Amino acid sequence: MEWGSTEWADEYCWLIDAERPGDYPVLARAHDVGGWHRYDISTSEFLYRVLADADFQPFGIAQYDLGTTFTPGSGDDE
């Protein structure tokens, strides 16, 4: 289930397994790096590392010093 994406077309998803309720690893795919990456960490830790850890490749954006911001979605699926 996709829960986020970036303006660079990176995709962030949860891996949902009916046999492991409550366990939602993060799956992420960078637009310019093939394949999915699995992270057995919380969503909040994943986002923190994306925003603050310049060595969190291929997803870390801290190295670019972009002055990161967050804009919540509208809540509409349309």
Side-chain angles (χ1 to χ4, degrees), residues 16-36:
I16 298 175
D17 184 344
E19 294 183 13
R20 295 177 7 172
D23 183 22
Y24 305 108
V26 174
L27 294 179
R29 179 169 56 181
H31 79 284
D32 59 351
V33 178
W36 289 95

Side-chain angles (χ1 to χ4, degrees), residues 28-56:
R29 179 169 56 181
H31 79 284
D32 59 351
V33 178
W36 289 95
H37 301 266
R38 178 182 172 145
Y39 297 95
D40 290 311
I41 57 178
S42 68
T43 304
S44 57
E45 182 178 351
F46 177 82
L47 289 174
Y48 171 79
R49 293 193 63 199
V50 167
L51 297 173
D53 184 352
D55 296 325
F56 189 58

Side-chain angles (χ1 to χ4, degrees), residues 2-13 27-33 36 46 50 56 58-61 64:
E2 185 172 305
W3 56 264
S5 60
T6 68
E7 62 187 67
W8 301 286
D10 295 348
E11 298 173 81
Y12 305 144
C13 303
L27 294 179
R29 179 169 56 181
H31 79 284
D32 59 351
V33 178
W36 289 95
F46 177 82
V50 167
F56 189 58
F59 303 104
I61 63 171
Y64 302 115

